[in-house]
Amino acid sequence: MGSMPNVPAASALPRRDQIRKEAARLFAARGFLGVGVDEIGKAVGISGPGLYRHFAGKDAMLADLLIGISERLLEEGRRRAGNGGGAPEALDALIGGHVEFALDDRDLITLHDRELLNLKEEDRRTVRRLQRGYLELWVDAVRGAYPALAEPAAEPVARAAVHAVFGLINSTPHSLGPNPAQDDRVAGLQRDGMAALLHSLAHGAFSAAAGAAAAGAGSGAGAASGTEAEAGADTEVDT
Amino acid sequence: MGSMPNVPAASALPRRDQIRKEAARLFAARGFLGVGVDEIGKAVGISGPGLYRHFAGKDAMLADLLIGISERLLEEGRRRAGNGGGAPEALDALIGGHVEFALDDRDLITLHDRELLNLKEEDRRTVRRLQRGYLELWVDAVRGAYPALAEPAAEPVARAAVHAVFGLINSTPHSLGPNPAQDDRVAGLQRDGMAALLHSLAHGAFSAAAGAAAAGAGSGAGAASGTEAEAGADTEVDT
DNA sequence: CCCCAACGTTAATGAGCGTTAACTCGTGCC
DNA sequence: GGCACGAGTTAACGCTCATTAACGTTGGGG
């Protein structure tokens, strides 16, 4: 095995990546269970069981996609968050990176939170561990950027806000056509315009979360309706 | 009097509704294609094909659920939005209603945007029509509440912002356990605390959208001409 | 030259599943 | 009493689909 087998380079990207791309597109469009292996094969020019030369099975394809994207998110997130500057800059970089991801890899973002339950237990745990790490990155940045959220009692608020902002940003592939569309405008907004808007929305949401936490410090967050609740201060962190 | 056939009242709610509830739960938990009819039957105490006495088929159950929730959202939305007061009050009422929905009917909210593709063409069109009507309600309220978004050029921004806020609010069933859990605290936050927080986040996002639209008025919100210019720095949001 | 390893092909297998058929059982009404 | 009917039951059909088997082709290295 001293020499590389061969370098196809014909289809620009190796078979394995080609399969990844088409599988992601199809899974995002019709769901993991709604797509047959024959269809994936046809999409890459081979037919049916030929895929088994490249992946152990249909499950393995989904696992590869979900673990891959989770790793990319976490790695890139770490890179951006730790790129000098303070917490506000880190948060801004995280938002920018996630928005870019959501706009450029819609299929994967869609899969990322839609198809987790179709993974075998072990892979699911792996993905969840990566997701948790990514979330921690955000929670730390947000709490660093907004002092009101740094209060111990505000930790659940920060966490929930991050979840919500994920939903906000990830909604894009959902509202737009599921297809990447490669380049041009979407829904009447230029891609960069949409990116800027999502960026603003995310900041606005976090800012509001900080305001709510400050206002309701010690009595829960009561914005409009003033029903007070006991401040749930106990937080359990597992693993 | 006409003597109704019978009044079960034993299981508290009629078979048909029982099936609706369990089917929603199962579909939300494992996806429409991931649940078999036998399983739905078992969940309501009858077995397998007995369901066909109540629904025309599995597809019909999903259609019933999705059309039902879409109608409820639109109807309740109209009620709340047109309940006197100006646009700001209407927007506030819409947000409150949707948050309530997302917290109390998580299964349905999940299905609402996850399983649309498993509907037959006709039903899908019906649901989309209802969803579009609901969205218009929001777009009108937002543009009425924030003058900057009322500008004709800002219409796509308003629309995108509404989509994003839907994603934000709907993220709740997603981040929390899929199970309604009926009552108690979730993720360290009391239910009402979470409601208040989501309310604040939604307002914060809309406010930021208005700010972005005002800042980028006339230029279509094109953020930067540079390729990787990530210094947003455009809108300083304040609640 | 020959072999083997990579890469595909088609046919077969076997399980799962939605739906239908045929039949049963209780209950209100004439 | 008998009849119709709502509500279930189990067995069987038919189809889809992931996976495996068995076989074919190409090309480079010994």
Side-chain angles (χ1 to χ4, degrees):
Chain A
M1 59 171 64
S3 64
M4 302 236 180
N6 62 356
V7 180
S11 7
L13 68 171
R15 230 338 104 83
R16 197 120 191 285
D17 292 337
Q18 211 180 347
I19 295 172
R20 269 191 261 258
K21 193 175 123 188
E22 294 302 313
R25 185 176 57 82
L26 290 168
F27 289 162
R30 299 214 296 286
F32 177 69
L33 295 170
V35 178
V37 290
D38 291 5
E39 200 170 351
I40 303 173
K42 185 161 298 179
V44 299
I46 74 183
S47 210
L51 294 168
Y52 285 72
R53 297 287 171 198
H54 305 276
F55 287 92
K58 202 182 153 196
D59 293 355
M61 294 182 210
L62 183 64
D64 180 276
L65 290 173
L66 291 191
I67 293 177
I69 194 200
S70 299
E71 284 175 343
R72 278 175 59 197
L73 274 176
L74 178 54
E75 185 184 356
E76 179 81 358
R78 273 204 241 268
R79 206 179 60 72
R80 289 186 182 242
N83 225 2
E89 287 78 12
L91 179 59
D92 203 67
L94 284 175
I95 293 174
H98 198 98
V99 166
E100 219 168 272
F101 227 111
L103 288 172
D104 296 337
D105 289 284
R106 293 187 219 166
D107 294 339
L108 290 178
I109 284 287
T110 299
L111 295 185
H112 188 244
D113 59 321
R114 226 191 203 47
E115 305 286 3
L116 215 133
L117 66 252
N118 288 114
L119 253 47
K120 276 169 310 184
E121 185 54 28
E122 189 195 335
D123 295 323
R124 186 164 46 224
R125 265 207 308 273
T126 300
V127 170
R128 272 215 254 259
R129 184 164 37 78
L130 293 166
Q131 286 182 340
R132 207 157 36 229
Y134 186 59
L135 188 106
E136 288 320 311
L137 231 49
W138 279 71
V139 171
D140 289 348
V142 170
R143 299 184 77 189
Y146 293 95
L149 293 172
E151 303 271 333
E155 203 259 358
V157 174
R159 201 166 287 267
V162 170
H163 269 297
V165 168
F166 283 171
L168 186 150
I169 299 177
N170 291 350
S171 75
T172 328
H174 207 250
S175 25
L176 310 175
N179 230 357
Q182 196 69 5
D183 48 340
D184 49 5
R185 65 170 45 193
V186 282
L189 246 58
Q190 211 82 16
R191 195 213 94 117
D192 290 349
M194 180 65 94
L197 176 60
L198 289 174
H199 210 104
S200 296
L201 295 179
H203 273 302
F206 281 135
S207 173
S219 79
S225 63
T227 63
E228 60 276 359
E230 63 163 84
D234 64 331
T235 60
E236 16 187 326
V237 190
D238 59 316
T239 61
Chain B
M1 55 191 306
S3 80
M4 304 237 181
N6 63 355
V7 181
S11 4
L13 67 172
R15 235 328 109 84
R16 197 123 193 285
D17 292 337
Q18 212 180 346
I19 295 172
R20 269 191 263 256
K21 193 175 124 189
E22 294 302 311
R25 186 177 56 83
L26 290 168
F27 290 162
R30 298 214 299 283
F32 177 69
L33 295 170
V35 178
V37 290
D38 291 5
E39 200 170 353
I40 303 173
K42 184 161 300 179
V44 299
I46 73 182
S47 210
L51 295 168
Y52 284 71
R53 297 285 171 200
H54 305 276
F55 287 93
K58 202 182 155 196
D59 294 355
M61 293 182 211
L62 184 63
D64 180 275
L65 290 173
L66 291 191
I67 293 176
I69 194 201
S70 301
E71 283 174 344
R72 278 175 58 197
L73 274 176
L74 178 55
E75 185 185 356
E76 179 81 358
R78 273 204 240 269
R79 205 178 61 70
R80 289 185 182 244
N83 225 3
E89 287 78 12
L91 179 58
D92 203 67
L94 285 174
I95 293 173
H98 198 98
V99 166
E100 219 168 272
F101 227 111
L103 288 173
D104 296 338
D105 289 285
R106 293 187 219 166
D107 294 339
L108 290 177
I109 283 287
T110 298
L111 294 185
H112 188 244
D113 58 321
R114 225 191 204 47
E115 305 286 3
L116 214 131
L117 68 254
N118 289 112
L119 254 46
K120 275 170 312 181
E121 185 54 27
E122 189 194 336
D123 294 323
R124 186 163 46 223
R125 265 208 308 274
T126 300
V127 171
R128 272 216 254 259
R129 183 163 38 76
L130 293 166
Q131 286 182 338
R132 205 157 37 229
Y134 186 59
L135 187 105
E136 288 317 314
L137 232 48
W138 279 71
V139 171
D140 289 349
V142 172
R143 299 184 77 189
Y146 293 95
L149 292 172
E151 304 269 332
E155 202 258 359
V157 174
R159 201 165 287 269
V162 170
H163 269 296
V165 168
F166 283 170
L168 186 150
I169 299 176
N170 291 349
S171 74
T172 327
H174 207 251
S175 23
L176 310 176
N179 229 358
Q182 196 71 5
D183 48 341
D184 49 4
R185 66 173 44 190
V186 282
L189 247 58
Q190 209 83 16
R191 196 213 94 117
D192 290 350
M194 180 65 93
L197 176 60
L198 289 173
H199 210 104
S200 296
L201 295 179
H203 273 301
F206 282 135
S207 173
S219 78
S225 57
T227 57
E228 223 218 353
E230 76 170 7
D234 40 11
T235 59
E236 207 52 58
V237 289
D238 60 334
T239 53

